[in-house]
């Protein structure tokens, strides 16, 4: 599986902010993840998360479908681990999108 496109979009409501990240592979399969920081800790974190995730999308490794799903996601995330180390919530959102797409590919 090769990630061919994606986006990270911040959203704001009166009480919450969040970022949805989506990836698309060469088969047009889409995976979705979300980062929803808690209000007392958030500040304006949604915009930072969106930029960080957007930058990370281009650096994801190609996924080897012959591996177990957990290993597929770990291998894809390897190039961006350092970038996302300080923002665990961003890492979680991207992992969720990758797990979503990898599992859909397997049926």
């Amino acid at each position: 599986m090769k990630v061919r496109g994606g986006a990270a979009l911040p959203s704001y409501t009166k009480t919450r902010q969040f970022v949805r990240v989506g990836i698309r592979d060469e088969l047009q399969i889409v995976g979705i993840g979300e980062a929803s920081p808690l209000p007392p800790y958030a500040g304006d974190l949604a915009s930072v998360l969106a930029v960080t995730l957007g930058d990370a999308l281009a650096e994801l490794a190609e996924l080897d479908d012959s591996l177990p799903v957990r290993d597929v996601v770990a291998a894809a995330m390897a190039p961006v681990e350092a970038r996302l180390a300080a923002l665990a919530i961003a890492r979680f959102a991207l992992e969720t999108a990758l797990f979503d797409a990898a599992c859909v590919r397997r049926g």
Side-chain angles (χ1 to χ4, degrees):
M1 179 170 106
K2 176 68 177 163
V3 174
R4 299 286 183 197
L9 304 170
S11 296
Y12 302 89
T13 68
K14 290 181 182 181
T15 58
R16 296 293 301 259
Q17 57 179 305
F18 59 92
V19 176
R20 286 207 177 104
V21 60
I23 61 168
R24 180 180 41 81
D25 70 8
E26 76 280 6
L27 301 176
Q28 305 303 314
I29 292 172
V30 174
I32 303 293
E34 183 175 289
S36 300
L38 296 173
Y41 309 105
D44 187 24
L45 191 54
S47 59
V48 172
L49 288 169
V51 170
T52 302
L53 285 164
D55 291 346
L57 288 171
E59 298 176 27
L60 291 172
E62 189 163 341
L63 288 79
D64 180 355
D65 286 325
S66 68
L67 298 172
V69 174
R70 181 175 49 185
D71 296 338
V72 167
V73 172
M77 292 289 294
V80 298
E81 289 288 343
R83 176 189 296 271
L84 301 180
L87 291 169
I89 193 167
R91 182 177 192 268
F92 174 76
L94 191 50
E95 284 177 336
T96 302
L98 288 165
F99 272 112
D100 187 21
C103 289
V104 169
R105 283 177 69 94
R106 292 171 189 235

